[in-house]
Amino acid sequence: MSDKKNFFSDNEDLVFHFRHSLDWAQIVELTEGGWGKPDGYKNVEEALEVFRQILEQVGHYAGHEVAPRAEALDRAGARLEGGRVVLPAEFDQIFDGFREMELFGLTVPRHLGGLNAPMALSFILNEVIGRADVSVMTHFGFHGPIAMALLLYSAREGSMKSGPDDWIGPSRFDEEVRQIVAGRAWGSMELTEPGAGSDLAAILTIGRRAPDGRWRLSGHKSFITSGHGPFHLVLARTEEAALPRRDGPQGASALEGLDALSLFLVRGQVERDGKLVDNVRLERVEEKLGHHASPTCALVYEEAEAELIGRPGQGFELMLIMMNGARLAVGFEGIGVAQAAFEMARAYAEERRTMGRLIAEHELIADRLLSMETDIRGMRAMAFEALNAVELSHKLELTLRFTARWNAAERQAAEERLEGYKRTARQLTPLIKFLAGEKAVEICRDNMQIHGGYGYMREYGAEKLLRDALVIPVYEGTSQIQALLALKDHLQLVLREPLRFVRDLGAARLKALTARGVEKLYWECVYEKLRSMEAIVREVVKGKLADELAEMRAMNPLEVWKHLSKDFLRRWDAKEDFAYGLLHAERMTEILAHCSIAEILLRQAETWTERKVWADRYVKRMHPRVLALSSAIRGGDRDVLEWIERRRQSASADPRS
Ligand SMILES: Cc1cc2nc3c(=O)[nH]c(=O)nc-3n(C[C@H](O)[C@H](O)[C@H](O)COP(=O)(O)OP(=O)(O)OC[C@H]3O[C@@H](n4cnc5c(N)ncnc54)[C@H](O)[C@@H]3O)c2cc1C
């Protein structure tokens, strides 16, 4: 299809990553549970051809059917009428099309009516559909991924029958999955409450086991996307004694914080006396800045019938599996929105003239356009690297845990690969969520600016994109929370392997001194990354090991690191000791993200030399930014920390507080 408005095939960079950035041979083989099944693919080429056709079909649909309806969806929005959510007619038309294309079962196994495609396709569609309209993408994302989460939970809790070759067999949730595949149902992910967003340990919704052994849930959930559906996956605490501490200690045996959370499936309606009645009360559909056609619901649980998933206390662990996938999905969404903004900006800049020139040829505008495109390509490269790791870590883990495939040597090799993929997934997921959220907003704002006064009007849709983008750094864990996760993970790596860190630091310095051209710029950034990390560790331990500082000053860097890794890890209290790190977490995360992207782009440019121009451009653009961020981190300014301390002291001296 040579189709200019095909949101998959008109995007050369996306098509490149689809073809080259995923280990399809491994992914398809694991997804199929081995080759040669009667209804499976014969080989990877056959599978890839089918996947490409699906992406092209949806790309065409997104460009021709979804994008043209985006303005109408934005104007009409979702609303509550008589206790039910009403969506614009255009929304239903679009979802009818998805149903016809059998997209709700895209990644669902064949025996449940699905197409058994790898999860990667669903992530790629987040970009493709997100570019057309984020409300549509968001609701679409609460179909297939919820079905897959239910199957995964069933496997984990032992209620699925797996076979010797395949982890997928009859499960506890097959009926729910079938309804989703048929397009009759969807689910929602319910963590947030009025008093608990980033701080999930503050969740108050409570699950109690009634004398008949059944669970009942009571509490409020807020900001729940697509919360008007039949299946609610709800995080709640399960022991009253474990309510968050308010006025003093609770029962000594109580589970605390995140360990007290359990995961429940709650049905929107249940049968009572032969009639279907509401089990969850839809209190409100939020009015919000953007994402107008995506219903964001406030829900009330009043002794709602609930089914426990997994064990009591396992809720956070199970929800995290889904949350990590959702974070990567939001990363792809951010890239889709940014791509839409870039396309809009480029088109306008190539038709609008001022002072005798196209505005695309004014230096300031050209610089922005080039930055937008470079950033998007960089983020996409990192998102695909994360995607490969996420898909393979899931599939390898399930295959190893639940099937009898492979002999001992093969299993050991698979376990080693699994560790590598898990590490990459854990490291890159917060980076992509962080950067895609922040950059989507920046790029949409640049698009508005490039449109001048027209950008502020509704006419071109530039302001809609910015309104839609603004939530990306907020939901599925704010940018700040992603930064804390990324920093913690990298800091642990440093403290666990200090010798390696010192070696890396030395090697980066040497390369920064000896390399030439773009490579030199890259290694200077890597060196600054490591120096920033070192500065954070030094500042963090300053207070902790104050009494030993004089002694440590006399040590050489290697001895200092050895000492820190032994002593500090033992005596570390993240909340108390980590203030300097927390202060710079966002700066550090941005540096980490840029360096990861540059590493991936430069690596790919070795094989595909035509892509070197983008790798070089990315490195040249990130270099001054990384140096500035690093300089702020290494500056050692503690003004903010002192300000917090003074605030705390005056608050504790004030009897009214
Ligand atoms: C449109 C929309 C859809 C949503 N959909 C869902 C959904 O489907 N399911 C669901 O469960 N939730 C959903 N949410 C909720 C969303 O995940 C939360 O809003 C988000 O996690 C932030 O929580 P909060 O609003 O309570 O803010 P808070 O946690 O109160 O945070 C306020 C500010 O403080 C910062 N902050 C908090 N703690 C720290 C810290 N330790 N260090 C530094 N900064 C910190 C935050 O980054 C933020 O900037 C949705 C939200 C929106 C807007």
Side-chain angles (χ1 to χ4, degrees):
M1 261 185 257
S2 70
D3 175 0
K4 270 198 167 167
K5 272 208 285 175
N6 185 316
F7 285 3
F8 174 69
S9 62
D10 75 353
N11 188 333
E12 158 272 310
D13 191 55
L14 179 58
V15 173
F16 168 86
H17 287 293
F18 162 70
R19 289 217 178 108
H20 302 295
S21 296
L22 300 169
D23 183 349
W24 282 118
Q26 220 189 142
I27 291 175
V28 180
E29 202 263 351
L30 288 169
T31 307
E32 291 288 319
W35 300 110
K37 299 233 167 116
D39 53 354
Y41 299 110
K42 284 192 207 68
N43 52 42
V44 68
E45 287 75 27
E46 188 188 53
L48 268 187
E49 180 52 24
V50 174
F51 301 160
R52 189 189 57 74
Q53 283 173 13
I54 294 172
L55 292 173
E56 288 207 343
Q57 188 186 16
V58 185
H60 180 87
Y61 190 75
H64 290 265
E65 302 296 333
V66 184
R69 291 177 164 91
E71 194 202 343
L73 294 177
D74 183 52
R75 282 186 189 277
R79 59 184 200 284
L80 195 64
E81 264 182 30
R84 297 277 177 260
V85 169
V86 179
L87 292 165
E90 291 83 357
F91 205 82
D92 294 335
Q93 291 159 10
I94 290 168
F95 276 77
D96 286 345
F98 288 157
R99 197 174 297 109
E100 274 168 35
M101 287 187 269
E102 298 182 46
L103 286 187
F104 301 125
L106 181 64
T107 57
V108 171
R110 294 186 186 93
H111 72 275
L112 293 170
L115 300 174
N116 201 40
M119 296 184 308
L121 257 70
S122 158
F123 284 93
I124 295 172
L125 288 186
N126 283 322
E127 173 177 342
V128 170
I129 302 173
R131 181 175 151 194
D133 184 76
V134 281
S135 295
V136 171
M137 184 233 96
T138 312
H139 187 54
F140 177 65
F142 282 98
H143 288 75
I146 293 282
M148 291 308 286
L150 289 171
L151 294 176
L152 202 72
Y153 291 152
S154 181
R156 285 199 168 232
E157 68 176 10
S159 63
M160 177 188 275
K161 245 179 131 177
S162 33
D165 284 333
D166 203 345
W167 65 275
I168 290 271
S171 94
R172 167 185 165 188
F173 297 119
D174 281 2
E175 178 45 35
E176 290 77 7
V177 171
R178 282 205 177 88
Q179 287 184 38
I180 293 175
V181 171
R184 292 196 304 274
W186 63 92
S188 49
M189 240 176 104
E190 307 189 6
L191 302 87
T192 307
E193 298 183 0
S198 308
D199 184 7
L200 295 176
I203 281 179
L204 290 174
T205 297
I206 189 144
R208 293 189 190 83
R209 208 194 284 263
D212 63 1
R214 295 196 191 163
W215 289 90
R216 293 271 189 277
L217 234 61
S218 298
H220 289 74
K221 290 286 170 188
S222 48
F223 303 162
I224 303 304
T225 304
S226 301
H228 59 310
F231 305 131
H232 302 249
L233 289 166
V234 186
L235 212 49
R237 60 187 55 251
T238 40
E239 287 195 17
E240 281 196 71
L243 283 168
R245 290 160 190 259
R246 294 219 185 272
D247 323 292
Q250 313 282 327
S253 64
L255 289 170
E256 296 220 1
L258 300 176
D259 290 339
L261 299 177
S262 303
L263 184 64
F264 291 93
L265 171 65
V266 180
R267 290 162 203 282
Q269 293 193 311
V270 289
E271 205 180 298
R272 254 178 238 145
D273 305 326
K275 270 199 279 177
L276 272 185
V277 293
D278 288 348
N279 191 33
V280 181
R281 184 153 60 82
L282 196 53
E283 191 180 52
R284 200 171 55 250
V285 170
E286 303 291 348
E287 286 187 32
K288 52 193 193 299
L289 185 65
H291 277 232
H292 283 164
S294 161
T296 309
C297 305
L299 303 170
V300 184
Y301 291 87
E302 293 153 320
E303 293 289 301
E305 289 178 25
E307 295 157 42
L308 181 71
I309 300 179
R311 295 186 311 275
Q314 205 189 1
F316 182 69
E317 179 197 322
L318 295 176
M319 193 55 111
L320 202 61
I321 300 172
M322 195 158 49
M323 222 151 63
N324 279 333
R327 284 175 178 163
L328 181 58
V330 172
F332 274 96
E333 174 191 1
I335 295 169
V337 175
Q339 182 74 33
F342 167 62
E343 299 288 344
M344 195 184 277
R346 181 165 59 183
Y348 188 74
E350 279 169 6
E351 74 182 32
R352 176 86 173 168
R353 284 180 174 274
T354 67
M355 297 160 206
R357 280 201 215 171
L358 284 173
I359 60 170
E361 288 168 10
H362 289 306
E363 291 75 3
L364 289 171
I365 302 298
D367 186 33
R368 282 191 187 199
L369 288 171
L370 216 49
S371 268
M372 287 168 148
E373 190 170 6
T374 313
D375 279 338
I376 292 170
R377 284 170 174 261
M379 290 189 292
R380 191 177 287 119
M382 181 160 65
F384 270 81
E385 185 98 350
L387 177 54
N388 193 54
V390 166
E391 175 110 38
L392 284 171
S393 56
H394 272 301
K395 298 274 161 76
L396 275 173
E397 190 171 5
L398 289 163
T399 307
L400 279 163
R401 264 174 89 157
F402 300 110
T403 76
R405 287 182 76 192
W406 301 327
N407 61 34
E410 286 168 337
R411 290 187 82 81
Q412 196 185 335
E415 267 157 21
E416 281 164 23
R417 290 202 308 279
L418 173 61
E419 277 318 301
Y421 292 130
K422 272 185 166 171
R423 193 169 46 244
T424 305
R426 198 182 56 240
Q427 287 180 353
L428 294 187
T429 301
L431 298 188
I432 191 62
K433 165 72 175 70
F434 173 89
L435 199 69
E438 296 299 316
K439 285 284 173 191
V441 172
E442 188 183 312
I443 289 169
C444 288
R445 200 235 159 211
D446 279 349
N447 173 41
M448 232 176 101
Q449 189 68 14
I450 287 172
H451 279 74
Y454 290 102
Y456 198 68
M457 309 300 155
R458 294 196 83 159
E459 191 174 340
Y460 282 85
E463 56 82 47
K464 173 191 183 284
L465 285 179
L466 181 59
R467 283 188 284 109
D468 282 347
L470 278 163
V471 79
I472 301 173
V474 174
Y475 62 17
E476 291 309 338
T478 63
S479 290
Q480 290 69 44
I481 298 303
Q482 304 310 310
L484 300 186
L485 290 171
L487 182 67
K488 191 174 138 218
D489 199 54
H490 281 79
L491 213 54
Q492 273 175 356
L493 273 182
V494 173
L495 291 169
R496 214 175 293 135
E497 293 191 70
L499 294 183
R500 184 175 166 178
F501 179 77
V502 174
R503 263 201 313 272
D504 288 351
L505 192 69
R509 178 150 192 259
L510 190 66
K511 284 185 175 144
L513 287 171
T514 54
R516 291 281 165 269
V518 165
E519 215 185 312
K520 181 181 180 61
L521 298 183
Y522 168 70
W523 283 108
E524 282 177 2
C525 290
V526 174
Y527 181 50
E528 289 302 318
K529 172 184 86 172
L530 298 172
R531 286 173 86 197
S532 304
M533 198 60 106
E534 185 190 36
I536 288 176
V537 176
R538 277 183 191 270
E539 286 295 326
V540 168
V541 296
K542 234 189 216 171
K544 189 80 185 160
L545 303 175
D547 45 337
E548 298 170 45
L549 262 189
E551 201 186 314
M552 280 165 56
R553 263 191 213 112
M555 296 177 185
N556 68 40
L558 200 60
E559 287 169 335
V560 171
W561 276 104
K562 273 190 196 162
H563 179 70
L564 290 182
S565 67
K566 272 204 302 204
D567 211 41
F568 187 69
L569 271 181
R570 227 183 314 121
R571 293 169 35 188
W572 138 299
D573 173 348
K575 273 203 182 120
E576 288 303 317
D577 305 329
F578 204 35
Y580 193 80
L582 298 180
L583 174 62
H584 289 292
E586 284 188 86
R587 291 188 186 94
M588 194 66 233
T589 302
E590 192 181 332
I591 296 179
L592 289 166
H594 288 317
C595 288
S596 290
I597 288 176
E599 191 267 318
I600 298 164
L601 291 178
L602 288 169
R603 176 169 23 95
Q604 290 179 343
E606 283 173 16
T607 310
W608 294 280
T609 47
E610 71 282 7
R611 299 179 69 80
K612 184 152 171 31
V613 57
W614 291 105
D616 288 1
R617 207 168 263 156
Y618 196 93
V619 175
K620 282 194 261 175
R621 282 170 181 270
M622 84 182 199
H623 185 261
R625 178 86 186 142
V626 168
L627 263 50
L629 292 165
S630 161
S631 153
I633 295 173
R634 291 187 299 103
D637 184 5
R638 302 184 79 87
D639 190 34
V640 174
L641 304 182
E642 285 156 14
W643 182 82
I644 295 174
E645 195 47 42
R646 280 199 301 279
R647 222 189 147 278
R648 276 192 191 143
Q649 280 169 9
S650 64
S652 62
D654 182 349
R656 286 164 304 173
S657 66

